[in-house]
Amino acid sequence: MFTPARYEWILLLRDRWITILFILFFCVTLFAVLNGQEKVIERKTSITKVKEEAQLAELKYANDIDSLSRGLKTAPEPWLDPRSLSVYGQRAGRVVAMDAQPLALISTGQSDLYTHTVKPKLYGEANALGFSELSNPVQLMFGSFDLAFVCIYLLPLLVLAFSYNLLSADKESGVLRLTISQPISLYKWLFGKLVVRFVVLAAIIVTSIVISLLFADAAIGGEVGKLLLLVLAYTFFWFSVAFLVNLFGASSGTNAIALVSVWVVLVLLIPSFISQSANTLYPVPSRINMIHEYRVAEAESNKKASELLDGYLRDHPELASKDSTSKNQYSFWLKYFASVEVIQAAVEPVVSVYDEALEEQQQWVSQWRVLSPAVLLQNSFNELAGTSTAHYQAFRKQVVTFSEAWRSFFIPRMFRNESMKPEALKSLPQHTYTVTDVSTHFITDFIGMLVFVAIALSGSLLVHRRFVDTGLTTA
Amino acid sequence: MLEAKQLTKKYNDATALNAVSFKVNPGDIFCLLGANGAGKTTTINLFLNFVEPSSGHALIADKDVSRESLETKKLLTYIPENLTLYPNLDGLENLDYFTGLAGKKYGSEELHNFLTQAGLQTDAHTKRVSAYSKGMRQKVGIALALAKDARVLLLDEPTSGLDPKASNEFSELLIALSKKGVATLMATHDLFRAKETGTHLGIMKEGNLVEMLTTDQINHTDLEKLYLKHMN
């Protein structure tokens, strides 16, 4: 091993820094991963419970339909009879669940804002209202003590604690005078120290994360490789910043203040600025306003249900029965379905404004995330975890699509005044959550991170040129 | 081997060194005397390229140190007033580290030999430097000069704070090195040590080299008188 690098390693070991750092980072990482795992388990348990309940209900209804069809059971009251499409469609709804992705435990992301299970029913408030979060999700992007929090917030502080006095410590002890009297480029010598420290910390990071993920039974695969690449690039960026600041030749105290200031700007202020500006430029409508609009439209439509039904049948002649609707067992519901379109049309502008604002907010965040490596890393963490806003938007669309499929199964049959038959159960719509329609930005985020590293290192080259005149060596 | 040509260093309006010229040949020990702020340390810093001259040249082996800094540093060893080493490394490791920085690679036995030649007791070689006295650290500096095969020694008040015995030992080491052809430039306040150890003397005042003479031209008493005359 190159002599200075070997001694840098020996000095680190003798300082007990490595041991303390390893224990500290490993404990924090493990705690964060287990914390994330607990949330994922909670989420999975909740999904399983809802699915089991739905399956039990479905099984019970299937048995009841079978028994009632064969006359083995006395028919219950009409509003409880599962052969009624309105009863089945409402009470035996399928669960649309957003299953946790393999690395969901690394980043809470938006998962504590949105529900992961929706049970589309035949009637009731629009599904979009049921699970949409109408506050700015970016605002709540950071916060949980998960691996993302450890890597984005705490890791830079560890890097800074590990490197803020990379040069100043030698300057203050006096040993730097002997060092720079040797025929070696100070820039290369210092960069060598930086690389040794980075390699040491990288080994600690990789070991801690991999062991913690294994401990939490997370799948170790290509996604973890991406995660580690991003975290290491982020770590190297902070080392580069420390390198740059050290080259100014100031005291350790000044270096520490400067580096913490950079941390505050890049990790706290810029994300906050992006969040606030997204909220200001593209405000989402009030949730209360949206529900109010819905209720007003609902009340209006109820008053003129019969008129609405006539209009609805004019628009959907394929649904009009040859029989009079008065003989239809679902006559009440048919009027309701007619009103739903009116209600949806009434709330559509508000929902659209919300959707557009959210979309624009996301575009804004996506566009300006390049201002901070912390935002780049958070974005990639959320995408790898499947907890990004884009994932929840995609899930929401899947819910709406499935909800429409569910109603489309029942409504035409209800207009035809049919009943639920055992053979129809097999053709009920099914839903499986997919993430294929969510675009990810791993490569752009990784390149963005490397650009930040390049900027810091370019700055260090410029600073190095004025090194002799800083009075560093004569102080 | 070592030459100052009209060497000048100004900090804004203040002149730290004013057109100083002298030459130190192989085997010479040139002692710079003068009060604090006279320009002794600035002269040494200029030969180390720690600061750049405002005008003039500092040459080592006919090479301008501000232009060929790394080349000239290969030829020199610098021992400051308070030689600081890495306290968590032992003497042997510190020597290995700094010779490694100088591009030299020695085995453990050779490094032990350098430390022994520099007068450091064998049992101290593998002790952490945090337990070393100043004299012991200075000896590691001399060992570094031996290991680098330095042709130039730059010493900035190396005996300041040493007890007479350690100071005498250090002087003997310098004389031994000068006999091997090492050119030494030493800044010191110690007139007695300068007269005993040096071959040439230079008295500096307010950035100017006001007197230059050889040590065999003057005795201790006259040197003191001459020095005080310039200081008044």
mmCIF file of all heavy atoms in Angstrom, chain A residues 3-4 6-7 11 14-15 170 173 175 177-184 189 468 473-474, chain B residues 45 50-51 70 73-74 78 84-86 88-89 93 96-98 101 105 128 144 148:
data_model
loop_
_atom_site.group_PDB
_atom_site.id
_atom_site.type_symbol
_atom_site.label_atom_id
_atom_site.label_comp_id
_atom_site.label_asym_id
_atom_site.label_seq_id
_atom_site.Cartn_x
_atom_site.Cartn_y
_atom_site.Cartn_z
ATOM 1 N N THR A 3 2.659 4.430 1.025
ATOM 2 C CA THR A 3 2.999 4.717 2.423
ATOM 3 C C THR A 3 2.049 5.706 3.115
ATOM 4 O O THR A 3 1.517 5.399 4.185
ATOM 5 C CB THR A 3 4.458 5.222 2.514
ATOM 6 O OG1 THR A 3 5.288 4.252 1.899
ATOM 7 C CG2 THR A 3 4.878 5.434 3.949
ATOM 8 N N PRO A 4 1.787 6.897 2.538
ATOM 9 C CA PRO A 4 0.885 7.823 3.244
ATOM 10 C C PRO A 4 -0.500 7.229 3.486
ATOM 11 O O PRO A 4 -1.091 7.444 4.542
ATOM 12 C CB PRO A 4 0.807 9.024 2.292
ATOM 13 C CG PRO A 4 2.036 8.949 1.468
ATOM 14 C CD PRO A 4 2.323 7.492 1.308
ATOM 15 N N ARG A 6 -1.205 4.056 3.867
ATOM 16 C CA ARG A 6 -1.104 3.040 4.926
ATOM 17 C C ARG A 6 -1.093 3.724 6.297
ATOM 18 O O ARG A 6 -1.771 3.294 7.231
ATOM 19 C CB ARG A 6 0.186 2.234 4.719
ATOM 20 C CG ARG A 6 0.377 1.103 5.710
ATOM 21 C CD ARG A 6 1.354 0.068 5.161
ATOM 22 N NE ARG A 6 2.616 0.645 4.758
ATOM 23 C CZ ARG A 6 3.672 0.760 5.572
ATOM 24 N NH1 ARG A 6 3.604 0.335 6.815
ATOM 25 N NH2 ARG A 6 4.801 1.281 5.134
ATOM 26 N N TYR A 7 -0.331 4.817 6.400
ATOM 27 C CA TYR A 7 -0.252 5.483 7.698
ATOM 28 C C TYR A 7 -1.534 6.247 8.041
ATOM 29 O O TYR A 7 -1.876 6.402 9.210
ATOM 30 C CB TYR A 7 0.990 6.379 7.774
ATOM 31 C CG TYR A 7 2.209 5.544 8.076
ATOM 32 C CD1 TYR A 7 3.164 5.292 7.108
ATOM 33 C CD2 TYR A 7 2.359 4.939 9.317
ATOM 34 C CE1 TYR A 7 4.261 4.487 7.371
ATOM 35 C CE2 TYR A 7 3.442 4.134 9.594
ATOM 36 C CZ TYR A 7 4.392 3.901 8.625
ATOM 37 O OH TYR A 7 5.452 3.088 8.902
ATOM 38 N N LEU A 11 -3.238 5.617 11.472
ATOM 39 C CA LEU A 11 -3.595 6.730 12.364
ATOM 40 C C LEU A 11 -5.082 6.711 12.704
ATOM 41 O O LEU A 11 -5.472 6.971 13.845
ATOM 42 C CB LEU A 11 -3.217 8.070 11.710
ATOM 43 C CG LEU A 11 -1.722 8.402 11.724
ATOM 44 C CD1 LEU A 11 -1.425 9.570 10.809
ATOM 45 C CD2 LEU A 11 -1.253 8.711 13.143
ATOM 46 N N ARG A 14 -5.690 3.988 15.228
ATOM 47 C CA ARG A 14 -5.190 4.315 16.573
ATOM 48 C C ARG A 14 -6.001 5.421 17.229
ATOM 49 O O ARG A 14 -5.971 5.583 18.440
ATOM 50 C CB ARG A 14 -3.708 4.691 16.492
ATOM 51 C CG ARG A 14 -2.881 3.467 16.163
ATOM 52 C CD ARG A 14 -1.403 3.734 16.225
ATOM 53 N NE ARG A 14 -0.681 2.540 15.792
ATOM 54 C CZ ARG A 14 0.590 2.517 15.464
ATOM 55 N NH1 ARG A 14 1.308 3.607 15.549
ATOM 56 N NH2 ARG A 14 1.164 1.407 15.073
ATOM 57 N N ASP A 15 -6.673 6.189 16.425
ATOM 58 C CA ASP A 15 -7.547 7.236 16.984
ATOM 59 C C ASP A 15 -8.859 6.650 17.506
ATOM 60 O O ASP A 15 -9.658 7.356 18.097
ATOM 61 C CB ASP A 15 -7.894 8.257 15.889
ATOM 62 C CG ASP A 15 -7.056 9.500 16.015
ATOM 63 O OD1 ASP A 15 -6.294 9.562 16.982
ATOM 64 O OD2 ASP A 15 -7.176 10.382 15.156
ATOM 65 N N ASP A 170 -3.604 18.924 11.041
ATOM 66 C CA ASP A 170 -2.145 18.854 10.873
ATOM 67 C C ASP A 170 -1.528 20.241 10.946
ATOM 68 O O ASP A 170 -0.422 20.415 11.447
ATOM 69 C CB ASP A 170 -1.804 18.211 9.517
ATOM 70 C CG ASP A 170 -1.877 16.685 9.585
ATOM 71 O OD1 ASP A 170 -2.406 16.174 10.595
ATOM 72 O OD2 ASP A 170 -1.423 16.024 8.645
ATOM 73 N N SER A 173 -1.578 21.229 14.690
ATOM 74 C CA SER A 173 -0.606 20.497 15.517
ATOM 75 C C SER A 173 0.822 20.879 15.129
ATOM 76 O O SER A 173 1.750 20.730 15.918
ATOM 77 C CB SER A 173 -0.799 18.990 15.345
ATOM 78 O OG SER A 173 -0.329 18.573 14.082
ATOM 79 N N VAL A 175 2.443 19.594 12.441
ATOM 80 C CA VAL A 175 3.080 18.545 11.642
ATOM 81 C C VAL A 175 3.008 18.859 10.143
ATOM 82 O O VAL A 175 3.805 18.354 9.354
ATOM 83 C CB VAL A 175 2.444 17.166 11.982
ATOM 84 C CG1 VAL A 175 1.073 17.015 11.394
ATOM 85 C CG2 VAL A 175 3.342 16.024 11.528
ATOM 86 N N ARG A 177 3.918 21.483 8.633
ATOM 87 C CA ARG A 177 5.142 22.149 8.142
ATOM 88 C C ARG A 177 6.165 21.119 7.684
ATOM 89 O O ARG A 177 6.840 21.311 6.677
ATOM 90 C CB ARG A 177 5.734 23.049 9.243
ATOM 91 C CG ARG A 177 4.883 24.272 9.532
ATOM 92 C CD ARG A 177 5.480 25.125 10.630
ATOM 93 N NE ARG A 177 6.651 25.857 10.199
ATOM 94 C CZ ARG A 177 6.634 27.000 9.506
ATOM 95 N NH1 ARG A 177 5.476 27.534 9.183
ATOM 96 N NH2 ARG A 177 7.745 27.606 9.173
ATOM 97 N N LEU A 178 6.270 20.033 8.439
ATOM 98 C CA LEU A 178 7.212 18.987 8.042
ATOM 99 C C LEU A 178 6.708 18.265 6.789
ATOM 100 O O LEU A 178 7.491 17.915 5.912
ATOM 101 C CB LEU A 178 7.386 17.985 9.198
ATOM 102 C CG LEU A 178 8.499 16.956 9.023
ATOM 103 C CD1 LEU A 178 9.849 17.612 8.803
ATOM 104 C CD2 LEU A 178 8.573 16.032 10.235
ATOM 105 N N THR A 179 5.390 18.073 6.734
ATOM 106 C CA THR A 179 4.799 17.361 5.590
ATOM 107 C C THR A 179 5.050 18.122 4.298
ATOM 108 O O THR A 179 5.517 17.546 3.317
ATOM 109 C CB THR A 179 3.272 17.194 5.795
ATOM 110 O OG1 THR A 179 3.072 16.500 7.018
ATOM 111 C CG2 THR A 179 2.645 16.432 4.656
ATOM 112 N N ILE A 180 4.754 19.421 4.324
ATOM 113 C CA ILE A 180 4.857 20.158 3.054
ATOM 114 C C ILE A 180 6.289 20.592 2.741
ATOM 115 O O ILE A 180 6.535 21.221 1.729
ATOM 116 C CB ILE A 180 3.888 21.360 2.984
ATOM 117 C CG1 ILE A 180 4.164 22.327 4.114
ATOM 118 C CG2 ILE A 180 2.450 20.888 2.969
ATOM 119 C CD1 ILE A 180 3.367 23.602 3.986
ATOM 120 N N SER A 181 7.212 20.242 3.640
ATOM 121 C CA SER A 181 8.619 20.456 3.276
ATOM 122 C C SER A 181 9.143 19.250 2.490
ATOM 123 O O SER A 181 10.285 19.231 2.067
ATOM 124 C CB SER A 181 9.472 20.695 4.531
ATOM 125 O OG SER A 181 9.601 19.505 5.277
ATOM 126 N N GLN A 182 8.263 18.247 2.323
ATOM 127 C CA GLN A 182 8.646 17.072 1.530
ATOM 128 C C GLN A 182 8.255 17.306 0.058
ATOM 129 O O GLN A 182 7.334 18.075 -0.223
ATOM 130 C CB GLN A 182 7.961 15.805 2.059
ATOM 131 C CG GLN A 182 8.178 15.539 3.547
ATOM 132 C CD GLN A 182 9.641 15.581 3.947
ATOM 133 O OE1 GLN A 182 10.511 15.099 3.212
ATOM 134 N NE2 GLN A 182 9.917 16.197 5.090
ATOM 135 N N PRO A 183 8.939 16.606 -0.835
ATOM 136 C CA PRO A 183 8.643 16.823 -2.270
ATOM 137 C C PRO A 183 7.366 16.114 -2.704
ATOM 138 O O PRO A 183 7.401 15.119 -3.433
ATOM 139 C CB PRO A 183 9.876 16.223 -2.957
ATOM 140 C CG PRO A 183 10.367 15.180 -2.013
ATOM 141 C CD PRO A 183 10.064 15.672 -0.637
ATOM 142 N N ILE A 184 6.259 16.603 -2.211
ATOM 143 C CA ILE A 184 4.975 16.001 -2.585
ATOM 144 C C ILE A 184 3.958 17.117 -2.784
ATOM 145 O O ILE A 184 3.987 18.131 -2.054
ATOM 146 C CB ILE A 184 4.497 14.995 -1.509
ATOM 147 C CG1 ILE A 184 3.274 14.244 -2.000
ATOM 148 C CG2 ILE A 184 4.264 15.653 -0.166
ATOM 149 C CD1 ILE A 184 2.903 13.048 -1.177
ATOM 150 N N TRP A 189 -1.479 14.856 -1.856
ATOM 151 C CA TRP A 189 -1.344 14.262 -0.515
ATOM 152 C C TRP A 189 -2.686 14.333 0.231
ATOM 153 O O TRP A 189 -3.152 13.345 0.804
ATOM 154 C CB TRP A 189 -0.263 15.025 0.261
ATOM 155 C CG TRP A 189 -0.200 14.704 1.716
ATOM 156 C CD1 TRP A 189 0.334 13.577 2.284
ATOM 157 C CD2 TRP A 189 -0.694 15.500 2.800
ATOM 158 N NE1 TRP A 189 0.207 13.638 3.645
ATOM 159 C CE2 TRP A 189 -0.424 14.799 3.991
ATOM 160 C CE3 TRP A 189 -1.339 16.729 2.879
ATOM 161 C CZ2 TRP A 189 -0.774 15.284 5.241
ATOM 162 C CZ3 TRP A 189 -1.681 17.217 4.126
ATOM 163 C CH2 TRP A 189 -1.403 16.505 5.286
ATOM 164 N N VAL A 468 -0.807 28.916 -1.630
ATOM 165 C CA VAL A 468 0.396 29.461 -1.002
ATOM 166 C C VAL A 468 0.109 30.826 -0.384
ATOM 167 O O VAL A 468 0.628 31.170 0.670
ATOM 168 C CB VAL A 468 1.524 29.572 -2.050
ATOM 169 C CG1 VAL A 468 2.715 30.334 -1.495
ATOM 170 C CG2 VAL A 468 1.958 28.172 -2.462
ATOM 171 N N THR A 473 0.761 27.882 5.491
ATOM 172 C CA THR A 473 1.937 27.202 6.015
ATOM 173 C C THR A 473 2.732 28.054 6.981
ATOM 174 O O THR A 473 3.536 27.551 7.739
ATOM 175 C CB THR A 473 2.849 26.801 4.860
ATOM 176 O OG1 THR A 473 3.172 27.968 4.126
ATOM 177 C CG2 THR A 473 2.180 25.802 3.955
ATOM 178 N N THR A 474 2.528 29.338 6.929
ATOM 179 C CA THR A 474 3.330 30.189 7.799
ATOM 180 C C THR A 474 2.596 30.522 9.091
ATOM 181 O O THR A 474 3.159 31.126 9.972
ATOM 182 C CB THR A 474 3.687 31.502 7.085
ATOM 183 O OG1 THR A 474 2.484 32.080 6.603
ATOM 184 C CG2 THR A 474 4.624 31.260 5.935
ATOM 185 N N ASN B 45 11.596 30.255 5.217
ATOM 186 C CA ASN B 45 10.320 29.960 4.532
ATOM 187 C C ASN B 45 10.428 30.171 3.025
ATOM 188 O O ASN B 45 9.789 29.462 2.250
ATOM 189 C CB ASN B 45 9.204 30.841 5.090
ATOM 190 C CG ASN B 45 8.702 30.345 6.441
ATOM 191 O OD1 ASN B 45 8.930 29.190 6.785
ATOM 192 N ND2 ASN B 45 8.056 31.204 7.196
ATOM 193 N N PHE B 50 7.474 28.098 1.177
ATOM 194 C CA PHE B 50 6.250 28.268 1.969
ATOM 195 C C PHE B 50 5.617 29.623 1.630
ATOM 196 O O PHE B 50 4.418 29.794 1.758
ATOM 197 C CB PHE B 50 6.551 28.206 3.462
ATOM 198 C CG PHE B 50 6.792 26.820 3.998
ATOM 199 C CD1 PHE B 50 6.759 25.712 3.158
ATOM 200 C CD2 PHE B 50 7.054 26.617 5.350
ATOM 201 C CE1 PHE B 50 6.984 24.437 3.661
ATOM 202 C CE2 PHE B 50 7.268 25.357 5.850
ATOM 203 C CZ PHE B 50 7.241 24.258 5.011
ATOM 204 N N VAL B 51 6.470 30.577 1.291
ATOM 205 C CA VAL B 51 5.994 31.863 0.781
ATOM 206 C C VAL B 51 6.795 32.177 -0.479
ATOM 207 O O VAL B 51 7.907 31.668 -0.650
ATOM 208 C CB VAL B 51 6.174 33.017 1.817
ATOM 209 C CG1 VAL B 51 5.167 32.881 2.929
ATOM 210 C CG2 VAL B 51 7.587 33.043 2.362
ATOM 211 N N LEU B 70 9.203 21.155 -5.978
ATOM 212 C CA LEU B 70 9.283 19.740 -5.611
ATOM 213 C C LEU B 70 10.691 19.192 -5.806
ATOM 214 O O LEU B 70 11.166 18.389 -4.991
ATOM 215 C CB LEU B 70 8.272 18.915 -6.420
ATOM 216 C CG LEU B 70 6.784 19.230 -6.174
ATOM 217 C CD1 LEU B 70 5.899 18.255 -6.928
ATOM 218 C CD2 LEU B 70 6.433 19.195 -4.693
ATOM 219 N N LYS B 73 12.827 20.419 -2.949
ATOM 220 C CA LYS B 73 12.465 19.800 -1.660
ATOM 221 C C LYS B 73 13.034 18.387 -1.527
ATOM 222 O O LYS B 73 13.173 17.871 -0.420
ATOM 223 C CB LYS B 73 10.944 19.787 -1.487
ATOM 224 C CG LYS B 73 10.392 21.138 -1.052
ATOM 225 C CD LYS B 73 8.899 21.125 -0.929
ATOM 226 C CE LYS B 73 8.400 22.507 -0.524
ATOM 227 N NZ LYS B 73 6.929 22.592 -0.529
ATOM 228 N N LYS B 74 13.341 17.775 -2.649
ATOM 229 C CA LYS B 74 13.967 16.450 -2.586
ATOM 230 C C LYS B 74 15.355 16.537 -1.948
ATOM 231 O O LYS B 74 15.852 15.582 -1.382
ATOM 232 C CB LYS B 74 14.120 15.869 -4.004
ATOM 233 C CG LYS B 74 12.844 15.337 -4.603
ATOM 234 C CD LYS B 74 13.115 14.790 -5.996
ATOM 235 C CE LYS B 74 11.803 14.411 -6.661
ATOM 236 N NZ LYS B 74 11.985 14.146 -8.102
ATOM 237 N N TYR B 78 14.019 19.941 6.577
ATOM 238 C CA TYR B 78 13.683 21.135 7.370
ATOM 239 C C TYR B 78 13.374 20.717 8.804
ATOM 240 O O TYR B 78 12.573 19.798 9.027
ATOM 241 C CB TYR B 78 12.475 21.800 6.708
ATOM 242 C CG TYR B 78 11.749 22.828 7.543
ATOM 243 C CD1 TYR B 78 12.401 23.961 8.000
ATOM 244 C CD2 TYR B 78 10.400 22.665 7.842
ATOM 245 C CE1 TYR B 78 11.711 24.911 8.749
ATOM 246 C CE2 TYR B 78 9.706 23.606 8.580
ATOM 247 C CZ TYR B 78 10.364 24.731 9.043
ATOM 248 O OH TYR B 78 9.692 25.662 9.765
ATOM 249 N N THR B 84 7.205 18.891 15.015
ATOM 250 C CA THR B 84 6.018 18.123 15.406
ATOM 251 C C THR B 84 5.894 16.912 14.499
ATOM 252 O O THR B 84 5.973 17.029 13.280
ATOM 253 C CB THR B 84 4.745 18.990 15.282
ATOM 254 O OG1 THR B 84 4.986 20.228 15.934
ATOM 255 C CG2 THR B 84 3.562 18.307 15.920
ATOM 256 N N LEU B 85 5.693 15.781 15.132
ATOM 257 C CA LEU B 85 5.496 14.522 14.391
ATOM 258 C C LEU B 85 4.113 13.998 14.742
ATOM 259 O O LEU B 85 3.409 14.584 15.564
ATOM 260 C CB LEU B 85 6.578 13.518 14.797
ATOM 261 C CG LEU B 85 8.018 13.971 14.550
ATOM 262 C CD1 LEU B 85 8.989 13.100 15.350
ATOM 263 C CD2 LEU B 85 8.369 13.930 13.077
ATOM 264 N N TYR B 86 3.729 12.890 14.121
ATOM 265 C CA TYR B 86 2.423 12.294 14.462
ATOM 266 C C TYR B 86 2.533 11.575 15.805
ATOM 267 O O TYR B 86 3.263 10.588 15.934
ATOM 268 C CB TYR B 86 1.972 11.331 13.373
ATOM 269 C CG TYR B 86 1.496 12.044 12.137
ATOM 270 C CD1 TYR B 86 2.258 12.081 10.989
ATOM 271 C CD2 TYR B 86 0.274 12.713 12.150
ATOM 272 C CE1 TYR B 86 1.826 12.766 9.857
ATOM 273 C CE2 TYR B 86 -0.162 13.411 11.025
ATOM 274 C CZ TYR B 86 0.615 13.425 9.890
ATOM 275 O OH TYR B 86 0.181 14.112 8.787
ATOM 276 N N ASN B 88 0.658 9.646 17.438
ATOM 277 C CA ASN B 88 0.173 8.262 17.554
ATOM 278 C C ASN B 88 1.012 7.257 16.767
ATOM 279 O O ASN B 88 0.667 6.081 16.716
ATOM 280 C CB ASN B 88 -1.291 8.165 17.100
ATOM 281 C CG ASN B 88 -2.224 8.744 18.142
ATOM 282 O OD1 ASN B 88 -1.839 8.875 19.304
ATOM 283 N ND2 ASN B 88 -3.419 9.107 17.740
ATOM 284 N N LEU B 89 2.083 7.766 16.133
ATOM 285 C CA LEU B 89 3.023 6.847 15.479
ATOM 286 C C LEU B 89 4.314 6.850 16.300
ATOM 287 O O LEU B 89 4.623 7.837 16.988
ATOM 288 C CB LEU B 89 3.334 7.313 14.058
ATOM 289 C CG LEU B 89 2.183 7.395 13.054
ATOM 290 C CD1 LEU B 89 2.701 7.896 11.695
ATOM 291 C CD2 LEU B 89 1.489 6.049 12.883
ATOM 292 N N GLU B 93 7.981 4.692 12.704
ATOM 293 C CA GLU B 93 6.850 4.883 11.765
ATOM 294 C C GLU B 93 6.839 6.297 11.203
ATOM 295 O O GLU B 93 6.576 6.498 10.013
ATOM 296 C CB GLU B 93 5.524 4.588 12.480
ATOM 297 C CG GLU B 93 5.333 3.106 12.778
ATOM 298 C CD GLU B 93 4.155 2.832 13.708
ATOM 299 O OE1 GLU B 93 3.820 3.722 14.530
ATOM 300 O OE2 GLU B 93 3.582 1.743 13.631
ATOM 301 N N ASP B 96 9.450 6.426 8.624
ATOM 302 C CA ASP B 96 8.989 5.694 7.433
ATOM 303 C C ASP B 96 7.975 6.548 6.647
ATOM 304 O O ASP B 96 8.024 6.627 5.419
ATOM 305 C CB ASP B 96 8.341 4.374 7.882
ATOM 306 C CG ASP B 96 8.010 3.472 6.706
ATOM 307 O OD1 ASP B 96 8.693 3.571 5.673
ATOM 308 O OD2 ASP B 96 7.062 2.665 6.812
ATOM 309 N N TYR B 97 7.077 7.190 7.392
ATOM 310 C CA TYR B 97 6.039 8.011 6.750
ATOM 311 C C TYR B 97 6.660 9.170 5.958
ATOM 312 O O TYR B 97 6.366 9.370 4.775
ATOM 313 C CB TYR B 97 5.080 8.540 7.813
ATOM 314 C CG TYR B 97 4.024 9.468 7.273
ATOM 315 C CD1 TYR B 97 2.948 8.969 6.543
ATOM 316 C CD2 TYR B 97 4.097 10.841 7.485
ATOM 317 C CE1 TYR B 97 1.976 9.822 6.036
ATOM 318 C CE2 TYR B 97 3.139 11.695 6.984
ATOM 319 C CZ TYR B 97 2.073 11.188 6.259
ATOM 320 O OH TYR B 97 1.120 12.021 5.753
ATOM 321 N N PHE B 98 7.541 9.918 6.629
ATOM 322 C CA PHE B 98 8.079 11.118 5.964
ATOM 323 C C PHE B 98 9.087 10.766 4.865
ATOM 324 O O PHE B 98 9.162 11.467 3.856
ATOM 325 C CB PHE B 98 8.680 12.080 6.998
ATOM 326 C CG PHE B 98 7.606 12.795 7.773
ATOM 327 C CD1 PHE B 98 7.323 12.454 9.085
ATOM 328 C CD2 PHE B 98 6.841 13.782 7.172
ATOM 329 C CE1 PHE B 98 6.307 13.088 9.791
ATOM 330 C CE2 PHE B 98 5.825 14.425 7.869
ATOM 331 C CZ PHE B 98 5.559 14.075 9.179
ATOM 332 N N LEU B 101 6.942 9.999 1.993
ATOM 333 C CA LEU B 101 6.488 11.223 1.304
ATOM 334 C C LEU B 101 7.599 11.772 0.402
ATOM 335 O O LEU B 101 7.326 12.354 -0.641
ATOM 336 C CB LEU B 101 6.104 12.303 2.320
ATOM 337 C CG LEU B 101 4.810 12.136 3.110
ATOM 338 C CD1 LEU B 101 4.580 13.360 3.980
ATOM 339 C CD2 LEU B 101 3.629 11.917 2.188
ATOM 340 N N LYS B 105 12.102 4.554 0.027
ATOM 341 C CA LYS B 105 11.524 3.369 0.664
ATOM 342 C C LYS B 105 12.646 2.577 1.324
ATOM 343 O O LYS B 105 13.586 2.150 0.648
ATOM 344 C CB LYS B 105 10.796 2.521 -0.395
ATOM 345 C CG LYS B 105 10.021 1.367 0.170
ATOM 346 C CD LYS B 105 8.816 1.830 0.940
ATOM 347 C CE LYS B 105 8.271 0.717 1.815
ATOM 348 N NZ LYS B 105 7.378 1.219 2.847
ATOM 349 N N ARG B 128 5.753 5.493 21.060
ATOM 350 C CA ARG B 128 4.937 6.556 20.455
ATOM 351 C C ARG B 128 5.622 7.913 20.645
ATOM 352 O O ARG B 128 6.145 8.200 21.728
ATOM 353 C CB ARG B 128 3.558 6.619 21.132
ATOM 354 C CG ARG B 128 2.681 5.398 20.885
ATOM 355 C CD ARG B 128 1.847 5.546 19.637
ATOM 356 N NE ARG B 128 1.105 4.329 19.368
ATOM 357 C CZ ARG B 128 -0.172 4.135 19.693
ATOM 358 N NH1 ARG B 128 -0.844 5.087 20.292
ATOM 359 N NH2 ARG B 128 -0.769 2.996 19.399
ATOM 360 N N LEU B 144 15.740 11.863 9.470
ATOM 361 C CA LEU B 144 15.055 12.082 8.188
ATOM 362 C C LEU B 144 16.037 12.664 7.161
ATOM 363 O O LEU B 144 16.033 12.271 5.996
ATOM 364 C CB LEU B 144 13.862 13.028 8.402
ATOM 365 C CG LEU B 144 13.062 13.407 7.165
ATOM 366 C CD1 LEU B 144 12.461 12.187 6.483
ATOM 367 C CD2 LEU B 144 11.936 14.388 7.535
ATOM 368 N N LYS B 148 16.893 10.821 3.791
ATOM 369 C CA LYS B 148 16.650 11.490 2.502
ATOM 370 C C LYS B 148 17.950 11.765 1.760
ATOM 371 O O LYS B 148 17.926 12.194 0.616
ATOM 372 C CB LYS B 148 15.926 12.840 2.737
ATOM 373 C CG LYS B 148 14.448 12.731 2.926
ATOM 374 C CD LYS B 148 13.818 14.120 3.168
ATOM 375 C CE LYS B 148 13.695 14.924 1.891
ATOM 376 N NZ LYS B 148 12.962 16.189 2.107
#
